[in-house]
Amino acid sequence: MAGMQIAGSLSSPPDGAAVIDPVYRQIRDLVYKVSGMYKSEEKLYLLVGGCERRMKQVGTKSPRGYWEHLTAHPSRDGELRQLLNELTIGETCFFRSQPQLDAVRKVILPELAADKTRQITRRIRIWSAGCSTGEETYTLAMNMLEESTALLKGWTVEILATDLNDRSIEAANTAIYGDYALRCTPEYFKRKYFSVVDDKKLQVRPEVKKLVSFSRLNFQDDSRMLFMKSMDLVFCCNVLIYFDGPSKSKVIDHFFTNLNYGGYFFLGTSESLLNLNDKFHLVHFPGAIAHWKPSLGGGKP
Amino acid sequence: METVPRWWQAMTSSLAPSTVNHIRERVKQIETLPTIPAVFLPLLNLLNLPIDQVKLEEVVKLVSYDNTIAAQCLRMASSPLFGLARAPESIKSAVISLGLRKVETILLTCCMGNVFSVKDWTIDPTNYWRHSLGCAMVCRKFSEKLAASDGDKAYIAGLLHDIGFLVNCMTFSKEFAAAMEHASTQQVPLEEAELATMGFCHCDTGLALAQKWRLADDMLQAIAYHHHPERSHSAQPLVALVHLSDLLCRMRNLGYGYYERRRVDLAHDPAWAILANEYQALEQMDLARFSFELDEAVGEIAALVDIIFGTSHKE
């Protein structure tokens, strides 16, 4: 009984979610195998919800029937893409992953700041790859500003943010957000880095925007990908899930090249590289996983 | 002085003489540690026997001495982590559904919660049990991924690996409190803080208890060397497995309740090489997915800790 209570408080699944058709676990495994996105047992109800919405669209009533759509139907690739869309709806928000931010501020920045060769340039470059409407990008910028009077005093921080979608970039530049995007934002940050537009909306302040430049970029555009050089950190959340194996592998190789030695590549919190690249080291921080490009010599930074 | 055991001398040989004297005085107190409950050691011995030599009746008889343990065991068997949809009615039916080995490990887990009547918990008991039980689960799961034969032994090694913290609470409580404080304010690993402030760590005190209990050699190795598997004299793959599982738990919300400011590179840890040498399956392991799967178990482990250890640490 205690088990049910705790599981409930962690994820608030809808009533009656205890019995889940085993086919959904098959779908979960398929989604993982194809995209690298893992829906854990406690988030399985989200996957069930997403599947049910798609089942209505394609006109099938049973999970087994939907499984056929995903695996045997001629339009299976397209359907899988639609399902991935369903699964990532509304995921974007400010401060989505505090453990990732902690890893950056508590472990990685001190590491970079202590690196003697970097002390000459005193510059940190971050790439928010697939930035969507800018929530992740500005979250990073605010956290860097927090460090600018301490650990990063006298350092230059550059944040490059790219997305394929022009409208997303436009929205990111406007930088006006509502409650939903701000649902995880601590009050401290709201007060310090946003100005009030009206009673429902806040706008990111100019000093934060100054750190960031947005532009359009297609990851498949090899020549432009090569241009994104000397990054210390790359964030790419819920974007690679849409790529097939070979394209994903190629983009990951690009990210590896784009990073400085000793740099880090972050995916979404439950996203995996699926062992597609053996040059990166998968490293753990408390509550977060990242992919590390080994320092020259291969040892610790 | 003559009564100081040889293992203690070996263990403390790298320390300054004054520190050694100080510790020697305290060692005498280890002699007053609680004795292990009657059921625990026979159960552990059964686990070391080949499965065809273990009689179901013996296990049932052992457990019947202690109703609390039997009741806890049945509740634990019905947890999703062990895969039964509802609680079995008796130990016998639990064995039929889960298998003898699994039930033995469940029983040992329940025993652990009743071993210690620690009065002054320097360490948060909930964190302690969550970490130990979590590590036990991860050890077993890890073994399964590697197709290693003895997942149950790995489970027990995981369950017992940090037992030295309990010894610290009982015999070095002031010193250990300072070490805990140091660890959480500096955000460093607890073993590092122990060495910095006390000059020895839970691996040393855990070994002392394990020797007193005459545990099998592979358990001694896991307890003494889980932070340095490469130094263990035997059972290196088991010790390496415990080491990696311990680190993974600490990185996935089953640590000691404070932020450890560190980066862990499991696949490039010496322990990984030790395991890779033993098990080919390690090469194919999807470490990211393994971590996500561990996250799923965190809530369940918390619930189990409430069931099994809830009453003992409220005393």
Side-chain angles (χ1 to χ4, degrees):
Chain A
M1 252 190 312
M4 289 307 292
Q5 277 167 9
I6 288 197
S9 66
L10 275 177
S11 54
S12 313
D15 289 343
V19 184
I20 284 175
D21 191 315
V23 174
Y24 287 117
R25 291 199 178 81
Q26 257 172 275
I27 296 177
R28 183 255 306 271
D29 289 346
L30 175 74
V31 166
Y32 181 74
K33 210 173 115 196
V34 175
S35 73
M37 180 170 56
Y38 188 74
K39 285 288 167 204
S40 64
E41 202 65 22
E42 64 197 28
K43 295 264 174 72
L44 209 54
Y45 71 95
L46 293 173
L47 181 120
V48 173
C51 287
E52 283 172 353
R53 286 193 294 276
R54 286 307 305 158
M55 279 154 68
K56 265 187 204 151
Q57 292 289 320
V58 300
T60 179
K61 286 206 171 81
S62 72
R64 174 56 60 190
Y66 187 56
W67 169 255
E68 298 292 320
H69 267 272
L70 285 171
T71 52
H73 208 270
S75 64
R76 56 185 184 271
D77 290 347
E79 184 50 42
L80 196 78
R81 215 182 160 77
Q82 296 283 359
L83 178 61
L84 287 173
N85 279 336
E86 283 291 342
L87 296 180
T88 52
I89 279 176
E91 277 237 329
T92 312
C93 72
F94 285 87
F95 288 84
R96 174 164 46 185
S97 172
Q98 189 60 44
Q100 281 190 353
L101 294 171
D102 286 340
V104 170
R105 286 181 62 176
K106 293 183 181 193
V107 188
I108 296 174
L109 290 185
E111 211 176 271
L112 290 175
D115 183 341
K116 286 202 179 90
T117 57
R118 265 169 233 210
Q119 278 176 355
I120 303 162
T121 56
R122 290 187 160 238
R123 186 178 73 155
I124 286 186
R125 268 163 73 84
I126 302 173
W127 178 10
S128 174
C131 62
S132 185
T133 40
E135 290 87 339
E136 170 193 88
T137 317
Y138 288 129
T139 302
L140 288 166
M142 290 172 210
N143 278 276
M144 291 300 135
L145 281 176
E146 283 295 296
E147 294 295 347
S148 64
T149 50
L151 208 56
L152 297 182
K153 200 168 179 185
W155 286 59
T156 310
V157 176
E158 294 172 10
I159 302 178
L160 278 77
T162 66
D163 201 274
L164 183 61
N165 187 321
D166 286 321
R167 269 186 302 173
S168 296
I169 291 172
E170 206 176 303
N173 271 317
T174 312
I176 295 176
Y177 300 94
D179 286 348
Y180 192 71
L182 290 160
R183 66 191 185 274
C184 302
T185 314
E187 275 306 312
Y188 168 84
F189 282 88
K190 277 191 196 168
R191 277 199 294 268
K192 193 165 172 185
Y193 295 112
F194 290 86
S195 44
V196 178
V197 177
D198 58 42
D199 60 341
K200 288 214 169 85
K201 299 219 182 293
L202 298 178
Q203 183 168 33
V204 174
R205 284 179 187 266
E207 64 264 33
V208 183
K209 293 175 78 173
K210 217 167 68 183
L211 252 56
V212 184
S213 70
F214 290 98
S215 60
R216 186 182 177 277
L217 174 71
N218 185 343
F219 291 165
Q220 316 265 25
D221 182 342
D222 289 337
S223 52
R224 282 207 59 205
M225 285 294 275
L226 286 171
F227 197 65
M228 307 292 290
K229 281 182 186 155
S230 310
M231 298 295 166
D232 292 300
L233 298 169
V234 174
F235 286 79
C236 183
C237 191
N238 286 347
V239 182
L240 294 180
I241 54 171
Y242 294 102
F243 288 64
D244 63 29
S247 336
K248 196 184 304 211
S249 193
K250 203 165 134 194
V251 176
I252 295 164
D253 282 347
H254 272 302
F255 287 151
F256 188 85
T257 313
N258 299 138
L259 277 165
N260 287 326
Y261 289 103
Y264 291 89
F265 169 40
F266 282 89
L267 287 165
T269 48
S270 57
E271 228 184 308
S272 157
L273 274 193
L274 295 168
N275 293 344
L276 281 173
N277 178 300
D278 56 8
K279 289 181 281 187
F280 275 117
H281 288 205
L282 185 148
V283 291
H284 281 86
F285 300 96
I289 286 174
H291 304 273
W292 179 59
K293 176 170 176 175
S295 309
L296 278 175
K300 279 195 158 192
Chain B
M1 289 297 156
E2 291 73 31
T3 58
V4 174
R6 202 178 304 146
W7 55 262
W8 185 263
Q9 288 172 343
M11 206 174 73
T12 53
S13 60
S14 60
L15 303 172
S18 59
T19 321
V20 175
N21 281 336
H22 169 69
I23 301 171
R24 276 178 181 169
E25 283 307 305
R26 296 299 186 95
V27 175
K28 289 176 189 164
Q29 295 177 34
I30 294 187
E31 297 304 314
T32 66
L33 276 179
T35 48
I36 198 157
V39 200
F40 192 83
L41 278 183
L43 267 173
L44 208 55
N45 288 334
L46 286 182
L47 199 70
N48 279 324
L49 285 178
I51 190 83
D52 55 356
Q53 287 180 27
V54 184
K55 292 197 180 69
L56 173 57
E57 292 72 29
E58 277 180 65
V59 178
V60 173
K61 200 172 139 199
L62 268 176
V63 179
S64 62
Y65 291 127
D66 194 326
N67 283 335
T68 325
I69 288 175
Q72 286 172 343
C73 172
L74 295 180
R75 290 171 74 182
M76 189 168 170
S78 67
S79 141
L81 288 176
F82 284 91
L84 289 190
R86 70 174 94 122
E89 283 163 12
S90 65
I91 296 292
K92 214 169 187 168
S93 58
V95 170
I96 290 162
S97 328
L98 287 174
L100 191 54
R101 282 286 184 248
K102 272 221 167 103
V103 173
E104 281 174 3
T105 59
I106 294 177
L107 284 168
L108 282 166
T109 310
C110 298
C111 280
M112 274 291 292
N114 300 291
V115 171
F116 293 96
S117 55
V118 179
K119 286 193 193 77
D120 303 305
W121 280 93
T122 314
I123 201 162
D124 180 325
T126 309
N127 287 339
Y128 176 82
W129 293 121
R130 281 181 191 178
H131 176 72
S132 293
L133 193 57
C135 191
M137 299 281 182
V138 173
C139 282
R140 188 208 295 281
K141 228 174 165 190
F142 210 151
S143 298
E144 285 166 5
K145 298 254 179 211
L146 298 178
S149 58
D150 214 337
D152 302 296
K153 187 176 275 178
Y155 178 97
I156 298 300
L159 185 68
L160 297 177
H161 77 287
D162 271 349
I163 207 167
F165 284 135
L166 300 184
V167 181
N168 287 355
C169 289
M170 287 182 282
T171 45
F172 299 95
S173 89
K174 237 189 213 162
E175 293 90 333
F176 186 45
M180 275 297 295
E181 174 72 18
H182 180 82
S184 62
T185 52
Q186 302 296 312
Q187 301 183 322
V188 295
L190 199 39
E191 63 276 13
E192 231 175 87
E194 286 177 300
L195 289 171
T197 62
M198 317 197 298
F200 57 94
C201 78
H202 62 284
C203 301
D204 308 320
T205 51
L207 178 65
L209 181 64
Q211 294 214 338
K212 185 179 157 66
W213 283 353
R214 299 183 195 283
L215 297 187
D217 180 60
D218 43 12
M219 293 298 148
L220 298 188
Q221 300 291 325
I223 291 166
Y225 297 111
H226 64 268
H227 291 298
H228 299 283
E230 69 283 1
R231 294 183 197 163
S232 64
H233 318 299
S234 57
Q236 274 204 356
L238 176 73
V239 183
L241 189 86
V242 174
H243 170 78
L244 296 170
S245 304
D246 173 33
L247 283 176
L248 196 55
C249 284
R250 289 155 74 166
M251 291 297 110
R252 302 307 286 183
N253 289 320
L254 285 168
Y256 282 106
Y258 66 93
Y259 193 90
E260 284 188 54
R261 201 185 269 265
R262 69 195 290 199
R263 184 189 70 153
V264 169
D265 187 344
L266 293 175
H268 294 83
D269 190 290
W272 193 273
I274 293 172
L275 273 190
N277 210 17
E278 196 77 11
Y279 304 106
Q280 279 190 332
L282 190 63
E283 213 177 299
Q284 303 303 322
M285 177 145 165
D286 182 347
L287 191 51
R289 177 163 180 161
F290 191 56
S291 306
F292 302 148
E293 287 171 352
L294 166 60
D295 295 347
E296 296 178 346
V298 172
E300 200 49 47
I301 286 165
L304 275 182
V305 165
D306 284 346
I307 293 173
I308 307 165
F309 307 107
T311 46
S312 61
H313 67 68
K314 273 177 202 139
E315 283 171 0

